[in-house]
Amino acid sequence: GAAVMVTSHLGRPTEGELKPEDTLMPVAVRLGQLLGKPVRLVADWVDGGFKVEPGEIVLLENCRCNKGEKKNNDELAQKMAKLCDIYVNDAFGTAHRAEATTHGIARFAPVACAGFLMGGEIDALSRALENPKRPLVAIVAGAKVSTKLTILKSLADKVDQLIVGGGIANTFLLATGKRIGDSLAEPNLVNEAHAIMDMMKERGAEVPLPVDVVVADEVSALARANKISVDDVHANDRILDVGPKTAAKLAEIIAHAGTIVWNGPIGVFEHDQFAGGTKMLASAIAHSDGFSLAGGGDTLAAIAKFHIAQDVDYISTGGGAFLEFLEGKTLPA
């Protein structure tokens, strides 16, 4: 019997403009199919001026197009709050941004609460961090240390094993004096990598680094992959995955974990010849008895590629929000 209004962010539109690619129309159509009744899409909705009948569901056009959304404008938030008796936030993926529909409206709505997805995310993430079953193993991989530096530091304080992969692992290898050839890395962050390894060592924990790697001279579907020891990397080699010995070592660490937090694939898994490490990691997580929690776009793509979605205990819908929560930050939403 409630009159329900739903809205969402979509894409990164220019505020005040609604381009064809920014419309929620396809969402309205799909929502109608799922509910078995038509769902109206309401365009200029901020000032009210539209009616919703009891038992009806309408979709309010992309709220990211409203002027003042990104700056968390009070006037906009107050107008939106007037439209409802109860405001429900179920968008965990944007919970790390203080915007008018994620933060502002909650301050002015008569009643504000979290939806089921938001509640489930907070429960799962809290379970992994606040009182985890140990050993607690975190896998943090990606192209750059700089984008994940704060999370690496924050996890170095909590976890028993910190598995790094991708360009991040290359920077850590550089820090231990290894040659990485033409691989993606950030030499200016070698000291930071050292500091993280030292933090872990002091606590009797460790950062297990690759002992063998898969290299090629380019990143492409046709590139020839060579499996070599980490000590045999040549000047024009690019490290694009971990080798089988390393993958087996990581799988063993995961097999004994009580809690596993996974963010980022450990190789260029989009190409099959550089997917071995991530595939073995995914398989180890799928077979683990520990509580597993995964998040981030590339991680979800790897989970889909290796068909393990039903074997991961919780898959987060957040990328940035997932990382900021793991860092121990309070998310504004």
Side-chain angles (χ1 to χ4, degrees):
V4 181
M5 296 166 281
V6 183
T7 188
S8 177
H9 280 175
L10 177 72
R12 300 193 187 281
T14 307
E15 290 185 4
E17 292 175 30
L18 181 72
K19 297 198 178 81
E21 64 269 26
D22 302 325
T23 178
L24 291 180
M25 184 51 98
V27 180
V29 172
R30 181 68 184 131
L31 192 53
Q33 291 168 349
L34 292 167
L35 293 168
K37 57 181 179 183
V39 172
R40 261 193 309 146
L41 181 68
V42 183
D44 299 310
W45 53 270
V46 172
D47 293 309
F50 61 96
K51 276 185 79 165
V52 194
E53 299 300 329
E56 189 187 3
I57 293 181
V58 299
L59 189 62
L60 308 179
E61 189 55 279
N62 191 349
C63 57
R64 224 172 209 177
C65 294
N66 296 331
K67 277 194 167 154
E69 169 66 18
K70 203 171 175 61
K71 289 213 159 80
N72 199 12
N73 178 284
D74 271 3
E75 197 187 335
L76 171 64
Q78 282 165 345
K79 280 183 176 177
M80 294 191 296
K82 282 199 182 97
L83 300 174
C84 66
D85 300 312
I86 299 173
Y87 160 74
V88 183
N89 186 344
D90 215 15
F92 178 75
T94 60
H96 59 310
R97 303 178 190 282
E99 298 185 355
T101 46
T102 64
H103 178 266
I105 187 174
R107 290 171 33 229
F108 302 114
V111 176
C113 61
F116 294 127
L117 175 91
M118 182 74 93
E121 289 273 5
I122 293 166
D123 287 346
L125 290 161
S126 302
R127 179 178 165 186
L129 283 189
E130 280 164 21
N131 196 7
K133 195 165 166 255
R134 292 195 176 263
L136 169 57
V137 177
I139 301 140
V140 180
K144 292 182 167 178
V145 174
S146 49
T147 53
K148 304 243 174 121
L149 188 59
T150 41
I151 175 105
L152 288 165
K153 281 184 171 163
S154 143
L155 288 173
D157 232 8
K158 301 183 179 94
V159 303
D160 300 299
Q161 303 261 6
L162 180 59
I163 295 171
V164 290
I168 296 175
N170 297 338
T171 303
F172 275 76
L173 284 171
L174 259 188
T176 59
K178 300 287 185 199
R179 289 194 305 269
I180 60 163
D182 196 18
S183 307
L184 178 69
E186 291 170 293
N188 57 321
L189 289 177
V190 158
N191 290 343
E192 301 284 2
H194 258 304
I196 289 163
M197 288 189 281
D198 291 343
M199 269 169 83
M200 294 283 288
K201 213 178 263 161
E202 269 169 41
R203 295 177 40 244
E206 65 165 339
V207 181
L209 291 175
V211 290
D212 57 344
V213 289
V214 179
V215 298
D217 50 14
E218 60 171 12
V219 183
S220 79
L222 302 170
R224 195 168 147 229
N226 294 314
K227 296 177 180 129
I228 58 171
S229 158
V230 75
D231 296 318
D232 297 336
V233 178
H234 289 300
N236 54 354
D237 281 338
R238 296 173 77 167
I239 300 172
L240 301 175
D241 192 15
V242 298
K245 282 184 192 151
T246 304
K249 187 171 125 186
L250 299 181
E252 191 173 331
I253 289 170
I254 287 161
H256 294 102
T259 307
I260 303 148
V261 177
W262 181 20
N263 176 259
I266 55 173
V268 186
F269 75 99
E270 295 85 351
H271 301 307
D272 288 345
Q273 68 271 48
F274 310 120
T278 305
K279 186 177 186 177
M280 194 145 176
L281 190 80
S283 173
I285 291 168
H287 291 96
S288 161
D289 293 332
F291 174 71
S292 53
L293 170 67
D298 292 342
T299 312
L300 303 196
I303 286 171
K305 177 166 178 164
F306 303 122
H307 310 293
I308 62 158
Q310 65 288 351
D311 301 311
V312 178
D313 292 304
Y314 194 83
I315 297 176
S316 175
T317 56
F322 174 76
L323 286 175
E324 290 196 12
F325 193 105
L326 292 182
E327 274 172 47
K329 286 185 182 166
T330 300
L331 307 184

